Amino acid sequence: FNMQNVLLCLAEQEKDPVFWNSWAQRTLKNAMNTQEPNKNVAKNLILFLGDGMGVPTVTAARILKGQLSGQYGEEVQLEMDKFPYVSLSKTYNTNAQVPDSAGTATAYLCGVKANEGTVGVSAAAVRGQCNTTQGNEVTSILKWAKDAGKSVGIVTTTRVNHATPSAAYAHCVDRDWYSDGEMPAEALQDGCKDIARQLMENIPDINVIMGGGRKYMLPKNTSDVEYPEEKKHSGTRKDGRNLIQEWIDRRKDKKGYYVWNKQELLSVNPSTADYLLGLFEPGDLTYDLDRDRSTDPSLTEMVEVAIKILRKNPEGFYLLVEGGRIDHGHHEGKAKQALHEAVEMDRAIGRAGLLTSAHDTLTVVTADHSHVFNFGGYTMRGNSIFGLAPMVSDVDQKPFTSILYGNGPGFKLVNGSRVNVSTVDYQQNDYQAQAAVPLRMETHGGEDVAVFAKGPMAHLLHGVQEQNYIPHVMAYAACVGQNKAHCRSGNSATSIAIAPPSLALIITATWLLC
């Protein structure tokens, strides 16, 4: 069989009602079999965070995954699609209808909604105002897990001190304070610490840290190990500290390894490593489509090494994995980059599933927010996800791609009218899809995002919930943080006896108190 024959055969099968009825009946039988929720205590917790991975991105990534293996695409399943429980998460920040990645990270890691641009602090903290930090710090599930004796790790395709990972360990009123070189003098005088420094100091025993961000760890003008001639990649620290060397020195007798390329990463023996710091770029990692496969590790490769190190702990582990550059692709209007990033994260989800068991591992997949990305235009079945709609516009008589953005850098006019996309290579990796409103950077979207869950207590992630609910469920499942009373009775977590107050009751009480 070649793939063409398979597709023809599928097309014939789909004409028969029996095909659809039996598929639905099989699905129904599987659903009946998974009716009994898994109430085990979760030994391990994994959160996969697709930055900017709204529902349209999930659907488009599914189609892309199928098309990469020669199928139509619409009918295939992502790894996350196989999870038995799906809910929706409301992503707004306390001061923003359409959120950013910092305030949202505080919600799904620390269990508290917060202001945009701030990490690891409550909504009482004001962005950029250092003196509003103290007393408003909130801790994350990574810390709760560490305090409970679990191993913990962070893996990201962005800088390790970017918004998403930083909420796991830092308390900072500005997500852009990557090193002291990016901080205003006033904030430094008031005693605020940059995020790279907080990574090394706040929770000093994070077992696995992998991503980019070397330059924020090194003294100003220190050449980068990989790009020694490029000044833009040199160190940014004003305090003269070499945080990488400090980490190496602290781990000398503790089975700690520092790596900065794929070969070094894959040469680490997870069974003899207790700590790993992997910084593979001066800033963010390269897009997966542009990755040098001989020197740059994939997200899947990083996740595999991380789990193999973390799972040695008999108490279990907590792992945060971020597919962080889905977001960057969308901001740049480069849908092909964004969707390939999403497919790679899904591959990592599959690998994590092979290395763990749903019996004792709660795995959650979600996004922090969406983007103003979509695809439409009545495309035919199996149409390339990056292809054209089957008709031209009935207004300007020009073709258009199925994928479009509500705003962004893809807005371009030629002689006062829309570019004719048939004159450009719209399948190219860095093609910027057309946008309705011109912006240098495309914006986030404000709609709810999906939450996929499997493993112990996954059934608690149901319905439409506030985003800050997520770490409360994960902590409850693993008996870390608050709500531990249900765990003392043995190896199955039963429900909390006290019924939680309704939202209406909470709001009414708040009004009375105010």
Side-chain angles (χ1 to χ4, degrees):
F1 273 124
N2 63 29
M3 192 48 75
Q4 197 58 43
N5 288 340
V6 171
L7 294 179
L8 287 170
C9 180
L10 178 64
E12 280 306 307
Q13 283 182 312
E14 288 183 356
K15 293 174 185 174
D16 187 346
V18 172
F19 172 82
W20 297 106
N21 287 329
S22 30
W23 187 356
Q25 286 296 319
R26 281 196 307 273
T27 307
L28 180 61
K29 205 169 274 182
N30 289 338
M32 299 295 282
N33 291 339
T34 57
Q35 255 189 332
E36 217 31 67
N38 175 347
K39 291 186 177 178
N40 296 334
V41 171
K43 178 183 176 184
N44 310 312
L45 299 170
I46 306 176
L47 176 63
F48 279 94
L49 193 286
D51 200 308
M53 190 181 70
V55 173
T57 299
V58 173
T59 310
R62 177 189 305 132
I63 293 170
L64 174 59
K65 177 188 174 180
Q67 292 181 350
L68 288 171
S69 62
Q71 295 163 274
Y72 287 135
E74 301 85 358
E75 70 290 344
V76 305
Q77 274 192 310
L78 290 167
E79 293 299 329
M80 62 186 98
D81 292 342
K82 300 171 187 174
F83 286 27
Y85 298 98
V86 183
S87 57
L88 291 176
S89 162
K90 296 160 71 175
T91 65
Y92 67 91
N93 295 150
T94 46
N95 65 343
Q97 187 178 75
V98 178
D100 90 315
S101 297
T104 50
T106 306
Y108 62 75
L109 291 173
C110 304
V112 172
K113 285 228 173 196
N115 292 328
E116 63 89 31
T118 66
V119 290
V121 287
S122 72
V126 181
R127 183 171 189 173
Q129 291 186 21
C130 173
N131 62 2
T132 64
T133 311
Q134 204 166 357
N136 295 321
E137 299 92 344
V138 290
T139 57
S140 78
I141 188 167
L142 181 138
K143 178 157 173 48
W144 311 338
K146 191 69 184 171
D147 290 347
K150 294 185 184 294
S151 292
V152 295
I154 295 168
V155 175
T156 178
T157 52
T158 66
R159 289 151 274 186
V160 293
N161 49 352
H162 207 254
T164 297
S166 64
Y169 57 81
H171 313 287
C172 194
V173 292
D174 198 320
R175 59 175 286 181
D176 295 331
W177 292 354
Y178 299 119
S179 77
D180 60 348
E182 286 78 36
M183 290 176 68
E186 188 186 355
L188 290 167
Q189 284 155 16
D190 288 350
C192 277
K193 295 179 182 178
D194 64 86
I195 298 171
R197 180 179 167 189
Q198 292 191 52
L199 171 60
M200 297 301 169
E201 295 179 358
N202 287 5
I203 309 173
D205 281 337
I206 298 175
N207 301 80
V208 174
I209 304 165
M210 279 193 266
R214 284 193 298 257
K215 67 180 178 181
Y216 305 109
M217 313 288 169
L218 300 172
K220 206 164 178 55
N221 298 326
T222 304
S223 294
D224 183 72
V225 62
E226 193 174 0
Y227 311 100
E229 304 303 316
E230 296 187 46
K231 279 273 174 256
K232 66 177 180 181
H233 294 317
S234 296
T236 63
R237 301 198 64 79
K238 288 178 177 172
D239 59 10
R241 291 175 66 176
N242 181 331
L243 298 180
I244 295 173
Q245 194 56 51
E246 289 181 25
W247 186 94
I248 293 167
D249 293 343
R250 276 210 313 275
R251 299 285 175 279
K252 270 214 168 88
D253 308 313
K254 291 186 173 178
K255 298 181 183 172
Y257 297 87
Y258 168 66
V259 298
W260 64 268
N261 59 47
K262 177 174 172 173
Q263 297 94 315
E264 290 182 353
L265 172 67
L266 298 183
S267 69
V268 171
N269 182 349
S271 60
T272 58
D274 289 340
Y275 295 95
L276 177 66
L277 174 62
L279 298 174
F280 303 106
E281 289 292 330
D284 301 318
L285 305 193
T286 52
Y287 284 122
D288 196 64
L289 271 179
D290 301 336
R291 183 168 62 86
D292 182 331
R293 279 155 169 67
S294 63
T295 59
D296 303 332
S298 67
L299 183 60
T300 303
E301 287 162 343
M302 292 192 288
V303 165
E304 177 161 350
V305 174
I307 291 175
K308 285 179 174 175
I309 291 173
L310 297 173
R311 72 180 179 185
K312 294 181 304 184
N313 186 339
E315 298 298 318
F317 65 82
Y318 172 84
L319 176 61
L320 168 64
V321 181
E322 183 196 19
R325 304 217 64 201
I326 300 168
D327 178 71
H328 296 175
H330 282 323
H331 277 308
E332 293 172 1
K334 298 174 181 176
K336 191 166 189 176
Q337 296 285 11
L339 296 183
H340 275 269
E341 293 295 306
V343 169
E344 173 55 28
M345 191 180 87
D346 195 65
R347 200 174 290 127
I349 293 166
R351 186 64 54 88
L354 295 173
L355 294 166
T356 57
S357 162
H359 176 75
D360 67 356
T361 303
L362 172 61
T363 306
V364 177
V365 180
T366 190
D368 45 358
H369 56 73
S370 187
H371 275 267
V372 293
F373 157 89
N374 221 315
F375 66 100
Y378 304 114
T379 44
M380 302 298 285
R381 177 76 181 279
N383 196 70
S384 165
I385 190 63
F386 306 115
L388 296 176
M391 70 286 205
V392 296
S393 163
D394 57 4
V395 176
D396 68 8
Q397 278 69 53
K398 290 178 182 173
F400 59 98
T401 54
S402 171
I403 286 175
L404 296 167
Y405 286 94
N407 58 48
F411 176 97
K412 291 183 181 77
L413 296 177
V414 173
N415 300 325
S417 65
R418 190 170 66 87
V419 173
N420 186 333
V421 292
S422 65
T423 65
V424 296
D425 182 5
Y426 50 81
Q427 298 270 4
Q428 189 229 340
N429 291 356
D430 288 325
Y431 171 71
Q432 291 176 310
Q434 291 186 337
V437 174
L439 287 177
R440 287 194 180 92
M441 295 285 275
E442 175 265 6
T443 72
H444 295 167
E447 80 273 18
D448 298 348
V449 297
V451 184
F452 305 85
K454 69 171 180 179
M457 293 291 158
H459 61 285
L460 299 179
L461 287 162
H462 69 109
V464 181
Q465 307 291 355
E466 296 289 351
Q467 193 168 44
N468 67 296
Y469 173 64
I470 294 168
H472 290 269
V473 170
M474 296 183 79
Y476 179 84
C479 298
V480 301
Q482 51 187 323
N483 296 342
K484 288 188 210 159
H486 62 286
C487 305
R488 294 183 190 128
S489 57
N491 195 36
S492 98
T494 52
S495 58
I496 301 171
I498 304 160
S502 72
L503 181 60
L505 197 62
I506 293 168
I507 291 171
T508 308
T510 307
W511 282 336
L512 291 171
L513 289 169
C514 291

